[in-house]
Amino acid sequence: MNIILMGPPGAGKGTQAANLVKEYGCAHISTGDIFRKALKEQTKYGVIAKYFIQFGHLVPDDYTIAMVREHLKENEFPNGFILDGFPRTIIQARELESIAKEFKFQIDAVLNLDVDFDKLTKRLSGRRTCRECGATFHDEFNPPKQVSVCDACGGELYQRPDESEEAVKVRLDTYTKQTRPLIDYYTMKGEITNINGDQSMEEVFNEIKKSLEGK
Ligand code: AP5
Ligand code: MG
Ligand code: ZN
């Protein structure tokens, strides 16, 4: 099963993608995570992406599409994949359609996590991410057993540089202008399922599982 997981910054895309990986064994493709890894390893995509990510802007379509294309070409997905954070513009959505034709796969579900904007800032400011495995926690909503230590691998937990108040503002604004129009795009194609992301993590996941029944 191949899934697109959409939603504003902090909506819970990464959290729910991790649940889907456990449940269905599919691969998690997060463009944000791939960019951050590239940044750490100083590869070409990392060097390009750094400036855009730190200020909360989207990385230009050309680079993002090329990177996703490369990732889909170079890896195998026997149990399908979840695209977390891609597409994020109409151009990316159209390109994904042509990549799907070329590589002969289909998208089985487009899930949109719907969360009020005023909740997102709190989710982002309290998030802690593992430096080693990328698992995410939250000071209040999902605290790790030991402060600053990842439950899954013992790695150090940190706050992402794009979690500053300024960067979050830009990310939310960027989402409204460039990514939210995709909801209409997929709604017109009759392909979207809206999920109420403003519930507990378990409830959100149950709603997602229900929506995927029979797919
Ligand atoms: P990316 O890493 O994708 O960031 P994002 O979209 O801003 O989303 P986040 O990862 O911040 O949030 P999330 O929805 O995954 O929420 P999470 O599960 O962590 O992208 C970063 C940057 O890379 C972009 O700004 C851009 O520059 C670039 N980029 C990436 N893709 C691109 C593309 N396609 N094109 C161009 N540029 C691109 O949850 C957040 C917190 O809330 C956690 O602490 C979690 O524990 C908590 N939480 C989760 N669910 C719940 C719940 N139900 N109740 C309470 N708390 C919850
Ligand atoms: Mg994420
Ligand atoms: Zn970890």
Side-chain angles (χ1 to χ4, degrees):
M1 187 158 43
N2 301 323
I3 300 167
I4 292 175
L5 195 50
M6 288 177 30
K13 301 183 294 296
T15 303
Q16 297 304 331
N19 288 336
L20 287 163
V21 168
K22 263 192 216 145
E23 182 85 13
Y24 301 107
C26 38
H28 180 193
I29 306 175
S30 154
T31 37
D33 287 350
I34 300 175
F35 279 133
R36 280 184 289 276
K37 184 163 178 267
L39 212 147
K40 209 166 140 185
E41 293 168 357
Q42 301 261 306
T43 66
K44 66 172 177 186
Y45 291 120
V47 174
I48 295 160
K50 185 177 177 199
Y51 171 81
F52 297 98
I53 292 183
Q54 73 185 6
F55 295 114
H57 297 290
L58 293 187
V59 179
D61 283 334
D62 289 1
Y63 297 113
T64 306
I65 291 160
M67 187 185 76
V68 170
R69 195 174 189 286
E70 225 172 88
H71 192 87
L72 291 171
K73 193 173 178 192
E74 286 170 4
N75 293 280
E76 290 194 13
F77 306 98
N79 297 319
F81 55 76
I82 307 148
L83 281 172
D84 159 358
F86 183 91
R88 239 180 251 238
T89 62
I90 303 276
I91 291 175
Q92 292 181 12
R94 294 217 173 103
E95 280 299 321
L96 178 63
E97 283 155 27
S98 63
I99 293 172
K101 259 190 210 138
E102 186 188 339
F103 295 168
K104 298 189 174 47
F105 65 78
Q106 62 174 37
I107 298 295
D108 303 291
V110 179
L111 307 178
N112 178 45
L113 291 179
D114 196 12
V115 182
D116 275 354
F117 263 39
D118 48 347
K119 303 263 167 69
L120 299 173
T121 314
K122 194 167 183 197
R123 286 196 186 178
L124 290 171
S125 61
R127 175 171 55 192
R128 298 288 179 271
T129 305
C130 175
R131 252 185 225 291
E132 305 305 322
C133 75
T136 50
F137 300 86
H138 192 282
D139 284 347
E140 187 182 338
F141 306 130
N142 181 24
K145 292 196 183 84
Q146 219 182 314
V147 177
S148 300
V149 179
C150 173
D151 288 358
C153 78
E156 185 203 354
L157 302 183
Y158 80 114
Q159 276 199 290
R160 276 171 32 185
D162 63 349
E163 274 157 352
S164 71
E165 206 179 309
E166 268 313 295
V168 166
K169 257 193 219 147
V170 178
R171 282 162 65 197
L172 292 175
D173 198 42
T174 303
Y175 170 80
T176 304
K177 290 191 183 125
Q178 292 181 264
T179 307
R180 201 151 57 186
L182 273 180
I183 297 178
D184 288 340
Y185 180 81
Y186 285 118
T187 304
M188 280 194 304
K189 287 163 78 76
E191 288 171 0
I192 205 163
T193 307
N194 286 302
I195 304 285
N196 175 11
D198 197 0
Q199 320 176 68
S200 75
M201 296 176 201
E202 292 73 22
E203 284 165 335
V204 175
F205 189 50
N206 285 335
E207 197 174 320
I208 288 178
K209 276 196 293 191
K210 240 188 226 149
S211 82
L212 294 175
E213 274 167 18
K215 296 236 175 187

